[in-house]
Amino acid sequence: MKKKEMSSNGDAPAPDSSTRISLQACLEECSEAVDLFLNNHFTESLEKLRPRVKESMYHALMYATVLEMQAMMTFEHDDIVQAGNTMKSAQEVCQRFRRKSLSLSSKSAGDVLTEEQLHAEACYAECLLHRAALTFLQDENMVNFIKGGIKVRNSYLIYKDLHTFIQSHASHRGPNHLHLEGGVSFGIGAFNLALSLFPPRILRLLEFAGFSGDKEYGLSKLHDGATSMNLRSMLCVLLLLCHYTFLSFILGTGEGDVDDAERLLKPFLVRYPRGAIFLFFAGRAEEIKGNIDEAVALFEDGCRAQQAWKQFHHMCYWELMWCFTYKRIWKMAYFYADLLSQESRWSKAMYVYMKAAYLSMLPPEEARPFGDNEVDLFRQVPAFKQKIAGKSPPTEKFAIRKARRYKACSPVRLPVPVLEMMYMWNGFTMIRKRPELTKGMMETLVEAERALRDNPVNEYTVDDHCVIQLLKGLCLKNQGQTQAAEECFNSVYSSEKKIKFDHYLVPNALLELSLLYVDLGRRELAVKLLQKAKNNYKEYSMESRTQFRIHAALSKLQADTNETEESTEL
């Protein structure tokens, strides 16, 4: 078999011209595949892309991207490995189209680089970015973590060069420039947004020392990519929707801009009225607004819209579980936790813990569904501990720690395990616009407080009291009773030396107290408490999530977090 010869300029061999189609034809075919994907025709989308994955950089990239989305929903080790291998193959295809003998930053690059080679740079950088994301999922081993960081850094530098090149060569625009620009907008936007979320010490771990992200600039670039008709519009939209409806709540201060999310969703819901992805995000937007019944209807629609990818159903089940939690309909919430425990492999320990937690919220005399018993379920939780693609979710570790007390022959029951886990997902922020839902939560907490007071003192009493105080503070804050909320948070902080197990409570009480002070305009005191929460507490449950939220609050206050970082290392 005849080997392909190296080109005269030293580049890797070009793809066989006999099997190639034009760049424009590739982009058109890939756009059709994306359209199929967004219309729930997932298998057909992959089938359209598969024949050209060895010869077209865009077919290879989009095929691997669809598999990556599936892997991120299943958390199945085999899916993640397959997606990683496919993305690596896509990167190799992109590499064949790149020109390696000339840097983008070279003055003569504009005279030499073809349109196809510019697209190859964008596709290659995108492959690196996706592979890094999969590396982080695959293994918590520090070596792999750093490897992922190196991929991210290399990708970042390519995007940076591409962005500069496009800006300085405005006249050098091929017929498919809109797709190139969309790719660069996605990359630059994703990096700026992601880097703005990470606390500086984590950026150093990722070998991003000296880099920082501009959140608003990142959002604006993603909006540019989302609102122009290009191949990456879908990725830009999905990342923005994730930011507005999830990241800003789970890793931030709960101030996602739901109006922006709905503006983004509107044209896509018109174009893909039964698109499961968009129905899901529409449901999440209603949930954030406190319109729980509307959210339930949309999540149920999302499940009915397609049957091909059950993973979408699991995402909806998770949200439905929380919707019924907010309404305190414990048996319905239990039903969805039970479905997840049977069908989803993300974290069986977490799902079984939630099943037990919901049953524990029912009156002792009330019949339990399926003959389940909460004590037996709590005792089963540690047995389901697993590493999902090499990584145990922090929420699973938290659930296992909380379930330990049920090992005893006569266990001391958890007072409000559902509401405690709801806090971990920032659920109290979700109900702040619905006074009746907050009132219901407060009634549950007052009842739990009364039961705790009536029971004999034990080794968990202080911790349980502090859990209730933290959650009561959140309800009081929702109700506008700021002084009473402040007293609750301070009560937790003042009990620091008496807490035996739930050490996460103190830094979180300081975080919530600081957010309360932000609302009251007491900025300096808020910064002081955030810095204390950030620097004085280590190795507690869900620490990274709390640290992300602290960083988000400090960034919001435009505090000089770098100065604090350095002072803690002296």
Side-chain angles (χ1 to χ4, degrees), residues 145-146 149 152 191 194-213 551 562:
F145 199 65
I146 296 301
V152 168
F191 273 112
L195 291 174
S196 74
L197 295 174
F198 280 98
R201 65 176 183 162
I202 295 180
L203 288 180
R204 282 204 294 274
L205 272 180
L206 299 179
E207 302 206 342
F208 265 94
F211 290 91
S212 61
H551 173 69
N562 290 329

Side-chain angles (χ1 to χ4, degrees), residues 48-237:
K48 190 165 193 70
L49 293 165
R50 190 181 291 116
R52 296 192 182 277
V53 295
K54 300 292 186 187
E55 66 191 64
S56 158
M57 56 182 158
Y58 273 112
H59 284 72
L61 172 60
M62 297 312 295
Y63 185 80
T65 300
V66 172
L67 290 184
E68 181 189 18
M69 286 184 182
Q70 184 178 25
M72 287 184 163
M73 284 186 288
T74 63
F75 273 86
E76 291 260 10
H77 178 71
D78 291 346
D79 287 349
I80 291 171
V81 170
Q82 183 191 0
N85 290 337
T86 309
M87 194 62 75
K88 185 180 179 183
S89 298
Q91 183 182 328
E92 289 166 359
V93 173
C94 297
Q95 176 68 19
R96 299 205 308 267
F97 287 87
R98 296 176 75 204
R99 183 182 178 88
K100 292 174 290 300
S101 58
L102 190 64
S103 166
L104 274 172
S105 55
S106 167
K107 287 182 181 178
S108 58
D111 301 323
V112 179
L113 282 173
T114 65
E115 182 187 31
E116 190 171 60
Q117 287 169 337
L118 284 169
H119 281 261
E121 291 296 317
C123 290
Y124 185 85
E126 199 167 315
C127 287
L128 282 174
L129 183 55
H130 288 304
R131 286 187 67 199
L134 288 164
T135 300
F136 295 147
L137 274 183
Q138 196 167 343
D139 201 334
E140 64 184 354
N141 178 287
M142 185 54 69
V143 173
N144 278 344
F145 199 65
I146 296 301
K147 278 182 185 175
I150 292 167
K151 289 188 189 85
V152 168
R153 195 174 191 281
N154 290 342
S155 176
Y156 178 85
L157 293 173
I158 294 171
Y159 275 125
K160 197 175 173 187
D161 280 350
L162 268 173
H163 185 247
T164 303
F165 178 82
I166 287 174
Q167 298 288 78
S168 60
H169 292 75
S171 60
H172 187 79
R173 298 188 171 216
N176 303 295
H177 183 78
L178 190 67
H179 295 287
L180 175 64
E181 210 164 44
V184 176
S185 290
F186 170 69
I188 294 292
F191 273 112
N192 272 278
L193 180 58
L195 291 174
S196 74
L197 295 174
F198 280 98
R201 65 176 183 162
I202 295 180
L203 288 180
R204 282 204 294 274
L205 272 180
L206 299 179
E207 302 206 342
F208 265 94
F211 290 91
S212 61
D214 183 328
K215 177 181 168 184
E216 294 308 316
Y217 182 65
L219 290 173
S220 74
K221 294 304 290 181
L222 288 170
H223 271 280
D224 289 346
T227 52
S228 64
M229 295 303 292
N230 69 85
L231 189 60
R232 271 71 163 218
S233 293
M234 172 190 73
L235 292 175
C236 292
V237 168

Side-chain angles (χ1 to χ4, degrees), residues 11 53 58 98 129 140 165 180 189 273 304 324 393 414 416 426 475 495 500 541 566 569:
D11 289 349
V53 295
Y58 273 112
R98 296 176 75 204
L129 183 55
E140 64 184 354
F165 178 82
L180 175 64
R304 283 191 291 265
F324 287 110
L414 290 161
V416 281
N426 214 355
C475 288
S495 302
K500 291 186 178 180
S541 293
E566 296 304 323
E569 293 170 2

Side-chain angles (χ1 to χ4, degrees), residues 325-344:
T325 300
Y326 303 145
K327 292 165 71 78
R328 296 191 304 158
I329 304 176
W330 309 127
K331 282 188 177 178
M332 280 300 293
Y334 163 89
F335 169 74
Y336 283 108
D338 184 57
L339 270 178
L340 286 164
S341 74
Q342 293 177 50
E343 295 183 14
S344 171

Side-chain angles (χ1 to χ4, degrees), residues 298-307 312-313 316-317 320:
L298 284 161
F299 292 134
E300 289 174 346
D301 273 357
C303 290
R304 283 191 291 265
Q306 62 84 36
Q307 299 299 319
F312 278 133
H313 291 197
C316 292
Y317 294 166
L320 285 162

Side-chain angles (χ1 to χ4, degrees), residues 542-568:
M542 307 291 283
E543 180 182 355
S544 60
R545 192 169 293 193
T546 304
Q547 288 287 343
F548 270 106
R549 294 188 66 212
I550 290 167
H551 173 69
L554 282 168
S555 297
K556 180 186 169 191
L557 290 164
Q558 296 181 328
D560 186 1
T561 54
N562 290 329
E563 185 178 325
T564 309
E565 280 288 321
E566 296 304 323
S567 67
T568 59

